Amino acid sequence: GENVEQHPSTLSVQEGDSAVIKCTYSDSASNYFPWYKQELGKGPQLIIDIRSNVGEKKDQRIAVTLNKTAKHFSLHITETQPEDSAVYFCAAGGPSGGSYIPTFGRGTSLIVHP
Amino acid sequence: GAGVSQSPSNKVTEKGKDVELRCDPISGHTALYWYRQSLGQGLEFLIYFQGNSAPDKSGLPSDRFSAERTGGSVSTLTIQRTQQEDSAVYLCASSLRTGGYNEQFFGPGTRLTVL
């Protein structure tokens, strides 16, 4: 099955700095890579996703890059703000027997200091 | 419309008791997932329902865990003879499965504490 590694587990930055979270995956058949943000006491919420037919996707201050050859993908947050503080999860998945069940990384706790 | 709801939000139980956790998915979403989130861990997949197909139970950690989904909507996760290691946040998610990947919408979770 798929195995997703996520680093770092904790990331502390100053407001305005950039933050980068990296993930690797093991199954070359994976073709969907979502990123979720989980605020305290809430469920994860999708913030951006990328499919295997593109190498980069951007949405305002967040961007995701994908390197299928190396089997890694990254989340980039620019001009960080205190409200970006949360736990971020990457995931990877592909069709398996007709179902679509992504495998999640262990999460990165991002702390943005004002 | 309303998002995914879960009840109860918190549940404290004694070791050996049975518990039932409820998930109300977004109306019209045919796919429903249960995950377990232990402290400092990622989301551990438990079970997946898709329409009228047989559920994918490959993530259930033991036969003490079971889930059902009635009428293609509400789902209940049951844990029998709870153990302390069952303490975690149990998350439910639903998605609109029309083929290929679709965004998973998560509920706020049920925090289970087994004393």
Side-chain angles (χ1 to χ4, degrees):
Chain A
E2 176 65 274
N3 181 48
V4 177
E5 299 285 339
Q6 181 172 349
H7 300 280
S9 57
T10 305
L11 180 58
S12 184
V13 300
Q14 288 295 129
E15 182 177 1
D17 288 350
S18 295
V20 180
I21 303 170
K22 298 182 179 181
C23 290
T24 61
Y25 62 99
S26 61
D27 189 348
S28 57
S30 288
N31 59 9
Y32 178 63
F33 308 91
W35 286 88
Y36 287 83
K37 175 184 181 182
Q38 186 176 29
E39 297 176 338
L40 199 61
K42 297 182 179 180
Q45 182 176 9
L46 181 73
I47 55 172
I48 194 167
D49 58 17
I50 191 168
R51 296 172 197 263
S52 60
N53 57 343
V54 297
E56 184 174 359
K57 184 176 179 180
K58 190 173 182 180
D59 183 3
Q60 298 183 345
R61 295 187 298 109
I62 59 174
V64 58
T65 59
L66 170 64
N67 183 328
K68 286 218 69 175
T69 303
K71 296 199 193 70
H72 65 71
F73 55 113
S74 301
L75 177 71
H76 304 253
I77 306 174
T78 58
E79 301 171 26
T80 53
Q81 301 168 4
E83 51 265 38
D84 295 330
S85 297
V87 178
Y88 291 80
F89 291 96
C90 65
S96 173
S99 65
Y100 295 80
I101 304 169
T103 300
F104 285 81
R106 289 195 167 193
T108 296
S109 178
L110 174 64
I111 303 166
V112 180
H113 299 280
Chain B
V4 177
S5 60
Q6 293 185 245
S7 60
S9 55
N10 281 283
K11 176 70 176 178
V12 180
T13 191
E14 293 179 347
K15 178 181 172 181
K17 300 279 189 180
D18 297 352
V19 295
E20 283 189 355
L21 312 180
R22 176 186 168 108
C23 172
D24 282 88
I26 293 173
S27 177
H29 281 193
T30 59
L32 186 148
Y33 310 74
W34 281 98
Y35 294 89
R36 178 168 68 177
Q37 185 174 29
S38 302
L39 190 63
Q41 302 296 310
L43 280 68
E44 177 189 4
F45 165 73
L46 298 177
I47 189 169
Y48 164 71
F49 295 90
Q50 171 52 47
N52 296 320
S53 301
D56 181 337
K57 304 179 182 180
S58 60
L60 294 179
S62 77
D63 59 8
R64 295 186 296 105
F65 288 72
S66 63
E68 63 177 21
R69 188 177 185 191
T70 55
S73 181
V74 172
S75 177
T76 302
L77 176 69
T78 301
I79 309 173
Q80 296 178 309
R81 305 181 302 281
T82 51
Q83 304 295 311
Q84 289 183 331
E85 59 264 29
D86 298 334
S87 296
V89 174
Y90 289 82
L91 291 163
C92 173
S94 70
S95 70
L96 184 63
R97 171 82 158 88
T98 58
Y101 277 100
N102 290 276
E103 177 180 355
Q104 289 181 302
F105 292 83
F106 283 85
T110 293
R111 180 174 297 278
L112 175 65
T113 303
V114 182
L115 302 177

Coordinates of all heavy atoms in Angstrom, one line a residue, chain A residues 31-32 36 38 41-46 51 89 93-95 98-102 104-107, chain B residues 33 35 37 40-43 45 48 56 58 91 97 99-109:
Chain A
N31 N -2.0 9.4 -8.0 CA -2.2 10.4 -9.0 C -3.0 11.6 -8.5 O -3.4 12.5 -9.2 CB -2.9 9.9 -10.3 CG -4.3 9.3 -10.0 OD1 -4.8 9.4 -8.9 ND2 -4.8 8.6 -11.0
Y32 N -3.2 11.7 -7.2 CA -4.0 12.8 -6.6 C -3.3 13.1 -5.2 O -3.1 12.3 -4.4 CB -5.4 12.4 -6.4 CG -6.3 13.4 -5.7 CD1 -6.5 14.7 -6.3 CD2 -6.9 13.2 -4.5 CE1 -7.3 15.6 -5.7 CE2 -7.7 14.1 -3.9 CZ -7.9 15.4 -4.5 OH -8.7 16.3 -3.9
Y36 N -4.6 19.4 3.3 CA -5.6 19.8 4.3 C -5.1 20.6 5.4 O -3.9 20.4 5.9 CB -6.3 18.6 4.8 CG -7.2 17.9 3.9 CD1 -6.7 16.9 3.0 CD2 -8.6 18.1 3.8 CE1 -7.5 16.3 2.1 CE2 -9.4 17.5 2.9 CZ -8.9 16.6 2.1 OH -9.7 15.9 1.2
Q38 N -6.0 21.8 9.3 CA -6.8 21.5 10.4 C -6.6 22.5 11.6 O -5.5 22.5 12.1 CB -6.6 20.1 11.0 CG -7.5 19.7 12.1 CD -7.4 18.3 12.5 OE1 -6.3 17.7 12.4 NE2 -8.4 17.6 13.0
G41 N -9.6 22.0 17.1 CA -11.0 21.6 17.4 C -11.9 21.5 16.2 O -13.1 21.3 16.3
K42 N -11.3 21.5 15.0 CA -12.1 21.4 13.8 C -11.6 20.2 13.0 O -10.5 19.7 13.2 CB -12.0 22.6 13.0 CG -12.6 23.9 13.7 CD -12.6 25.1 12.8 CE -13.2 26.3 13.4 NZ -13.1 27.5 12.5
G43 N -12.4 19.8 12.0 CA -11.9 18.8 11.1 C -11.0 19.4 10.0 O -11.1 20.6 9.8
P44 N -10.2 18.6 9.4 CA -9.4 19.1 8.3 C -10.2 19.7 7.1 O -11.3 19.2 6.9 CB -8.6 17.8 7.8 CG -8.7 16.9 9.0 CD -10.0 17.1 9.6
Q45 N -9.7 20.7 6.5 CA -10.3 21.3 5.4 C -9.4 21.4 4.2 O -8.2 21.8 4.4 CB -10.8 22.7 5.8 CG -11.6 23.4 4.7 CD -12.1 24.7 5.1 OE1 -11.8 25.2 6.2 NE2 -13.0 25.3 4.3
L46 N -9.8 21.0 3.0 CA -9.0 21.0 1.8 C -8.6 22.5 1.5 O -9.5 23.4 1.5 CB -9.8 20.4 0.6 CG -9.0 20.4 -0.7 CD1 -7.9 19.3 -0.6 CD2 -10.0 20.1 -1.9
R51 N -3.1 17.2 -9.3 CA -3.2 15.9 -9.9 C -1.9 15.6 -10.7 O -1.2 16.6 -11.0 CB -4.4 15.8 -10.7 CG -5.7 15.9 -9.9 CD -7.0 16.1 -10.7 NE -8.0 16.6 -9.8 CZ -8.9 15.8 -9.2 NH1 -8.9 14.5 -9.4 NH2 -9.8 16.3 -8.4
F89 N -1.9 18.7 6.7 CA -1.7 17.3 6.3 C -1.6 17.2 4.8 O -2.4 17.8 4.0 CB -2.9 16.4 6.7 CG -3.0 16.3 8.2 CD1 -3.9 17.1 8.9 CD2 -2.3 15.3 8.8 CE1 -4.0 16.9 10.3 CE2 -2.5 15.1 10.2 CZ -3.3 15.9 10.9
G93 N -3.0 9.5 -3.2 CA -3.9 8.4 -3.4 C -4.1 8.2 -4.9 O -3.8 9.0 -5.7
G94 N -4.6 7.0 -5.2 CA -4.9 6.6 -6.6 C -5.9 5.6 -6.5 O -6.3 5.0 -5.5
P95 N -6.5 5.3 -7.7 CA -7.6 4.3 -7.7 C -7.1 2.9 -7.3 O -6.1 2.5 -7.8 CB -8.1 4.3 -9.1 CG -7.0 4.9 -9.9 CD -6.2 5.8 -9.0
G98 N -11.2 0.4 -7.5 CA -12.4 1.3 -7.8 C -12.7 2.2 -6.7 O -13.6 3.1 -6.8
S99 N -11.9 2.2 -5.6 CA -12.2 3.1 -4.5 C -11.0 4.2 -4.5 O -10.0 4.0 -5.1 CB -12.2 2.4 -3.1 OG -11.0 1.8 -2.8
Y100 N -11.3 5.3 -3.8 CA -10.3 6.4 -3.8 C -10.1 6.7 -2.3 O -10.8 7.6 -1.8 CB -10.9 7.5 -4.6 CG -11.0 7.2 -6.0 CD1 -12.1 6.5 -6.5 CD2 -10.0 7.6 -6.9 CE1 -12.2 6.2 -7.9 CE2 -10.1 7.3 -8.3 CZ -11.2 6.6 -8.7 OH -11.3 6.3 -10.1
I101 N -9.2 6.1 -1.7 CA -8.9 6.3 -0.3 C -7.5 6.9 -0.1 O -6.5 6.1 -0.2 CB -9.1 5.0 0.5 CG1 -10.5 4.5 0.3 CG2 -8.9 5.3 2.0 CD1 -10.6 3.1 0.8
P102 N -7.3 8.2 0.1 CA -6.0 8.7 0.2 C -5.3 8.3 1.5 O -6.0 8.1 2.5 CB -6.2 10.2 0.1 CG -7.6 10.4 0.5 CD -8.4 9.2 0.1
F104 N -2.8 9.6 4.4 CA -2.3 10.9 4.9 C -1.0 10.8 5.6 O -0.6 9.8 6.1 CB -3.4 11.3 5.9 CG -4.6 11.9 5.4 CD1 -5.6 11.0 5.0 CD2 -4.9 13.2 5.2 CE1 -6.8 11.5 4.4 CE2 -6.0 13.7 4.7 CZ -7.0 12.8 4.3
G105 N -0.2 11.9 5.5 CA 1.0 12.1 6.3 C 0.6 12.3 7.7 O -0.6 12.5 8.1
R106 N 1.6 12.4 8.6 CA 1.4 12.6 10.0 C 1.1 14.0 10.4 O 0.8 14.3 11.6 CB 2.6 12.1 10.8 CG 2.7 10.6 10.8 CD 3.7 10.1 11.8 NE 3.5 8.7 12.0 CZ 4.1 8.0 13.0 NH1 4.7 8.6 14.0 NH2 3.9 6.7 13.1
G107 N 1.2 15.0 9.5 CA 0.9 16.3 9.8 C 2.1 17.2 10.2 O 3.1 16.7 10.7
Chain B
Y33 N -16.4 8.3 4.8 CA -15.2 7.7 5.3 C -15.1 7.9 6.9 O -15.6 8.9 7.3 CB -13.9 8.4 4.8 CG -13.9 8.5 3.3 CD1 -14.6 9.5 2.6 CD2 -12.9 7.8 2.5 CE1 -14.6 9.6 1.2 CE2 -12.8 8.0 1.2 CZ -13.6 8.9 0.5 OH -13.5 9.0 -0.8
Y35 N -12.2 8.0 9.9 CA -10.8 8.0 10.2 C -10.6 8.1 11.8 O -11.4 8.6 12.5 CB -10.1 9.2 9.6 CG -10.0 9.3 8.1 CD1 -11.0 9.8 7.4 CD2 -8.9 8.7 7.4 CE1 -11.0 9.9 6.0 CE2 -8.8 8.8 6.1 CZ -9.9 9.3 5.3 OH -9.8 9.4 4.0
Q37 N -7.8 9.7 14.6 CA -6.7 10.6 14.7 C -6.2 10.6 16.2 O -6.8 11.1 17.0 CB -7.0 12.1 14.3 CG -5.9 13.0 14.3 CD -6.3 14.4 13.8 OE1 -7.4 14.8 13.9 NE2 -5.3 15.1 13.2
G40 N -0.9 13.6 17.9 CA 0.4 13.6 17.1 C 0.5 12.7 15.9 O 1.6 12.6 15.3
Q41 N -0.6 12.1 15.6 CA -0.6 11.1 14.5 C -1.4 11.7 13.3 O -2.1 12.6 13.5 CB -1.1 9.8 14.9 CG -0.4 9.1 16.0 CD 1.0 8.8 15.7 OE1 1.3 8.2 14.7 NE2 2.0 9.2 16.5
G42 N -1.2 11.1 12.2 CA -2.0 11.5 11.0 C -3.4 10.9 11.1 O -3.8 10.4 12.1
L43 N -4.0 10.9 10.0 CA -5.4 10.3 9.9 C -5.3 8.9 9.5 O -4.8 8.6 8.4 CB -6.2 11.1 8.9 CG -6.8 12.4 9.4 CD1 -5.7 13.5 9.6 CD2 -7.8 12.9 8.4
F45 N -7.0 5.7 8.3 CA -8.2 5.2 7.7 C -8.8 4.0 8.4 O -8.1 3.1 8.8 CB -7.9 4.8 6.2 CG -9.0 4.1 5.5 CD1 -10.2 4.7 5.2 CD2 -8.9 2.7 5.3 CE1 -11.2 3.9 4.5 CE2 -9.8 2.0 4.7 CZ -11.0 2.6 4.3
Y48 N -14.7 2.7 4.6 CA -15.2 3.5 3.5 C -16.5 2.9 3.0 O -16.5 1.7 2.7 CB -14.1 3.6 2.4 CG -14.5 4.1 1.1 CD1 -14.8 5.4 0.8 CD2 -14.5 3.2 0.0 CE1 -15.1 5.9 -0.4 CE2 -14.9 3.6 -1.3 CZ -15.2 5.0 -1.5 OH -15.5 5.4 -2.7
D56 N -15.5 -0.9 2.3 CA -14.1 -1.3 2.4 C -13.7 -1.2 3.9 O -13.5 -0.1 4.4 CB -13.2 -0.3 1.6 CG -11.7 -0.7 1.6 OD1 -11.3 -1.3 2.6 OD2 -11.0 -0.2 0.7
S58 N -11.0 -2.4 5.3 CA -9.6 -2.8 5.4 C -8.8 -2.1 6.5 O -7.8 -2.6 7.0 CB -8.8 -2.7 4.1 OG -8.9 -1.3 3.7
L91 N -12.9 10.9 13.2 CA -13.4 11.9 12.2 C -14.1 11.2 11.1 O -13.8 10.1 10.7 CB -12.2 12.6 11.5 CG -11.4 13.6 12.4 CD1 -10.0 13.9 11.8 CD2 -12.2 14.9 12.6
R97 N -19.1 11.4 -4.9 CA -18.3 10.4 -5.7 C -19.0 10.3 -7.1 O -20.0 9.7 -7.3 CB -18.3 9.1 -5.1 CG -17.7 8.0 -5.9 CD -16.2 7.9 -5.9 NE -15.7 6.6 -6.2 CZ -15.5 6.2 -7.5 NH1 -15.7 7.0 -8.4 NH2 -15.1 5.0 -7.7
G99 N -16.9 9.8 -9.8 CA -15.8 9.2 -10.6 C -14.5 10.0 -10.4 O -14.6 11.2 -10.4
G100 N -13.4 9.3 -10.1 CA -12.2 10.1 -9.8 C -12.3 10.7 -8.5 O -13.2 10.4 -7.7
Y101 N -11.3 11.5 -8.2 CA -11.2 12.1 -6.8 C -12.1 13.2 -6.7 O -12.3 14.0 -7.5 CB -9.8 12.5 -6.5 CG -9.0 11.3 -6.1 CD1 -8.1 10.7 -6.9 CD2 -9.1 10.9 -4.8 CE1 -7.4 9.6 -6.5 CE2 -8.3 9.8 -4.3 CZ -7.5 9.2 -5.2 OH -6.8 8.1 -4.8
N102 N -12.7 13.3 -5.5 CA -13.5 14.5 -5.1 C -13.1 14.9 -3.7 O -12.7 14.1 -2.9 CB -15.0 14.1 -5.1 CG -15.5 13.9 -6.5 OD1 -15.9 14.8 -7.2 ND2 -15.5 12.6 -6.9
E103 N -13.2 16.2 -3.4 CA -12.9 16.7 -2.1 C -13.6 16.0 -1.0 O -14.8 15.8 -1.1 CB -13.2 18.2 -2.1 CG -12.9 18.9 -0.8 CD -13.2 20.4 -0.8 OE1 -13.6 20.9 -1.8 OE2 -13.1 21.0 0.3
Q104 N -12.9 15.7 0.0 CA -13.4 15.1 1.2 C -13.8 16.3 2.2 O -13.0 17.2 2.4 CB -12.4 14.2 1.9 CG -12.2 12.9 1.2 CD -11.2 12.0 2.0 OE1 -10.1 12.4 2.2 NE2 -11.7 10.8 2.3
F105 N -15.0 16.3 2.7 CA -15.5 17.3 3.6 C -15.5 16.6 5.0 O -16.3 15.6 5.2 CB -16.9 17.8 3.2 CG -16.8 18.6 2.0 CD1 -16.9 18.0 0.7 CD2 -16.8 20.0 2.0 CE1 -16.9 18.8 -0.4 CE2 -16.8 20.8 0.9 CZ -16.8 20.1 -0.3
F106 N -14.8 17.1 5.9 CA -14.7 16.5 7.2 C -15.6 17.1 8.2 O -15.9 18.3 8.2 CB -13.3 16.6 7.8 CG -12.3 15.6 7.2 CD1 -11.7 16.0 6.0 CD2 -12.0 14.4 7.8 CE1 -10.7 15.1 5.4 CE2 -11.1 13.6 7.2 CZ -10.5 13.9 6.0
G107 N -16.1 16.3 9.2 CA -16.8 16.8 10.3 C -15.9 17.2 11.4 O -14.7 17.1 11.2
P108 N -16.4 17.8 12.5 CA -15.5 18.3 13.6 C -14.9 17.2 14.4 O -14.0 17.4 15.2 CB -16.5 19.2 14.4 CG -17.8 18.6 14.1 CD -17.8 18.0 12.8
G109 N -15.4 16.0 14.3 CA -14.9 14.8 15.0 C -15.6 14.6 16.4 O -16.2 15.5 16.9

